[in-house]
Amino acid sequence: MTITPLAAVPPAHRGAAPQFRGRLGRDARSGHYAVAHRYRLHLSTACPAGLRLAVGHTLLGLDDSCPVTFLPALPDGDDGGHAVLRPLYEAGAHHYTGPALAPVLSDDWSGRIVSNHAPDILRDLDRFPRTGHGPLFPAGLESVIEAVERMCGEGIEDAAQRAGSAGADPVERAAALDVLLDTLGRLERRLAGEEYLADGRLTAADIELWVSLVRLDTVHRCHLDAHAVQRVAEHRALWAYARRLTAHPAFGRHLDLDGIARRHQGSCRGLEAAGAAVQILDWAAHATGSPGTPRR
């Protein structure tokens, strides 16, 4: 497996964070290989990408072999980045002036960024020798996991955001809500009588869906009307699944409800709707560890 050069993946516009797309191979020929005590994760659990990585990292039992630096919920840079990550970005991109964004997988041996592409990072963490959970991306289940990722990205995250957009045409908002409800309905049927999404075992697909459901109830719900939230809440098997995963130590310990709320308030420009008062789950009550605070 080769390392994608930074120059091959340019930033979309001047000042944007470059996409570091290095990958971990299985041996030294890849340049970066999955060896213990070489790499470090930098993430905020208030960020959905960071939350996915934190859960996956804990499931894999990588606390010792690949330590994590937890970042504040709100970036401390005027440009929306994290000051602590700036040396890593400057080491990897000459004369870099854009935001130092998380999450990041860094190489402690070189002091440079391996990747800031969260989906690749999670897949590469799955290559590490581990003492915890089995593989998050089991052989033969790749297509199922990728399908769930698309459903969550397009059918939950994007659809919920469009359904709650104050500036959108009412017809467009209604159509987006239909997409959201259809996606939730398909997932509901998938989980009827099943504990997990794929092959009866906990995989990256479950991490993806759980984070999307957290976001749906803690962020997107705030911009939906009460009737829409009621229809979302009617998917009982789906929310029972969310409760069950929240009680799992690898999930609930990283659920920073206060950080998610502050990050949302700091970046959201939308209008609050009636659904903001209709919480679907009491997440803190089901989380393992200190309610609302990720355990470090």
Side-chain angles (χ1 to χ4, degrees), residues 68-245:
V68 178
T69 295
F70 289 95
L71 304 171
L74 296 177
D76 53 1
D78 294 336
D79 55 6
H82 294 273
V84 71
L85 297 181
R86 179 153 298 281
L88 292 172
Y89 274 86
E90 291 177 346
H94 190 54
H95 295 311
Y96 178 67
T97 59
L101 302 178
V104 158
L105 178 67
S106 68
D107 180 354
D108 282 350
W109 291 3
S110 67
R112 294 174 181 267
I113 294 174
V114 177
S115 178
N116 61 358
H117 186 67
D120 286 352
I121 295 173
L122 185 58
R123 284 168 168 79
D124 285 352
L125 290 180
D126 209 29
R127 297 180 181 275
F128 272 82
R130 52 184 169 265
T131 59
H133 193 269
L136 298 178
F137 297 88
L141 295 180
E142 295 91 342
S143 61
V144 175
I145 294 171
E146 289 172 1
V148 171
E149 289 173 341
R150 288 193 299 272
M151 291 176 73
C152 290
E154 299 170 10
I156 298 180
E157 292 278 352
D158 291 350
Q161 187 167 0
R162 288 185 286 111
S165 176
D169 181 86
V171 175
E172 294 176 354
R173 293 183 62 175
L177 180 61
D178 286 343
V179 171
L180 172 62
L181 294 173
D182 176 69
T183 302
L184 297 179
R186 285 187 286 155
L187 290 164
E188 172 89 356
R189 291 188 292 274
R190 176 89 181 187
L191 287 167
E194 297 289 339
E195 189 172 4
Y196 302 116
L197 284 169
D199 197 35
R201 49 179 157 170
L202 187 54
T203 68
D206 299 292
I207 300 174
E208 188 76 26
L209 178 54
W210 181 77
V211 172
S212 292
L213 293 175
V214 169
R215 297 260 306 160
L216 181 57
D217 193 21
T218 61
V219 174
H220 300 305
R221 170 181 55 81
C222 300
H223 304 291
L224 298 173
D225 63 47
H227 179 63
V229 174
Q230 181 179 3
R231 295 179 68 188
V232 168
E234 288 172 353
H235 298 84
R236 300 187 184 281
L238 197 57
W239 294 107
Y241 161 89
R243 284 195 301 271
R244 195 165 60 247
L245 287 183

Side-chain angles (χ1 to χ4, degrees), residues 3-30:
I3 302 173
T4 305
L6 176 59
V9 193
H13 56 84
R14 184 173 178 81
Q19 294 183 35
F20 292 83
R21 295 292 296 271
R23 300 299 304 272
L24 301 188
R26 296 185 183 278
D27 55 48
R29 290 172 298 177
S30 67

